[in-house]
Amino acid sequence: MTWKAPLAVMAILAVSLGAATAQQQQQQKPPATRSPAPPPRPGAKPMFPPPAFKITVATEGAYPPFNYLDRKGLPAGFEMELAQEACQRIKAECEFAAFKWDELIPGLLDKKFDVIMASLEITSERRKRLGLSRRYYLSPGAFIAARGAPFDGPPSLLRNKRLGVQKDSTHADWLDKSFRRSAFIKRYDTAAEALEALSRDEVDAVFGNKTQLWLWSQKPEGKCCEVVGQDIKDNQTLGVGVAAGLRKEDVKLRDALNKAFGDMIADGTYKKINEKYFPFALN
């Protein structure tokens, strides 16, 4: 018994000493702290929360060079390059898809995709259904005539001439307003038929969409002719141009695209893309 008591006391002292030492070390250890979050920059209000959001851009893929399908079946063309640049500027992850023309507006409203970029003309009816962006291109009206014809000046040079145009079109409306009493207007079912008539010298000039006329003049059947005279811009008759189509409620996305298009024009990026496809400006 005389030997067990001291051993027990020593054991108790050892345990107590260890506990006291651990408590002292814990008290000496500085408390864990978190670095304070950096204060937000004054006036910094990101339009979209990080990380990058996703949107789908739909086009028709059947209106070259504005939009078409490349060899891999992917949407390409002037409008798709504008869309890709805009996506980078608004920090969006964009996918591109092609749909039939009649499926574009219903598909947008059914939320199958988020943006239409398919040479969508701005009209009062579309303004009622969609949230349209700012105009991103305008192809003016123009005349095309035989190479060397004396019409490369004001439209008044075409008085008393035979003018071809696609019937029931905005271009026919403009000819009626401007030349009804001073020229002979011949109407055709399609713009292609009017251009064929020009190549056969059945008319002296054809009035239509400048881009379409120029594209035809680059083909073998159009080598006879060239775009002449001044660009014709008439918002009331020929319209105000082409915009991206969005749902009305997607106001932030529309505002972001508007800013991107504006910045592209201001810094020269739009001009560079434009010049890859056309020898004249479309903005």
Side-chain angles (χ1 to χ4, degrees), residues 22-72:
Q23 184 177 6
Q24 185 179 8
Q25 291 175 349
Q26 186 174 8
Q27 290 175 350
Q28 293 175 351
K29 185 178 180 181
T33 59
R34 291 193 301 175
S35 299
R41 290 181 299 166
K45 294 181 179 180
M47 189 162 290
F48 297 96
F53 60 102
K54 294 182 179 181
I55 60 175
T56 300
V57 179
T59 191
E60 184 186 16
Y63 188 43
F66 291 100
N67 61 80
Y68 58 91
L69 300 182
D70 64 16
R71 294 179 180 178
K72 297 181 180 179

Side-chain angles (χ1 to χ4, degrees), residues 7-29:
L7 289 175
V9 172
M10 291 177 65
I12 293 172
L13 289 174
V15 172
S16 300
L17 182 60
T21 302
Q23 184 177 6
Q24 185 179 8
Q25 291 175 349
Q26 186 174 8
Q27 290 175 350
Q28 293 175 351
K29 185 178 180 181

Side-chain angles (χ1 to χ4, degrees), residues 76-98:
F78 173 66
E79 290 178 280
M80 295 300 96
E81 288 207 35
L82 293 180
Q84 289 172 343
E85 179 67 26
C87 286
Q88 292 178 6
R89 289 174 183 250
I90 66 176
K91 295 179 171 54
E93 181 180 339
C94 291
E95 296 180 351
F96 298 86

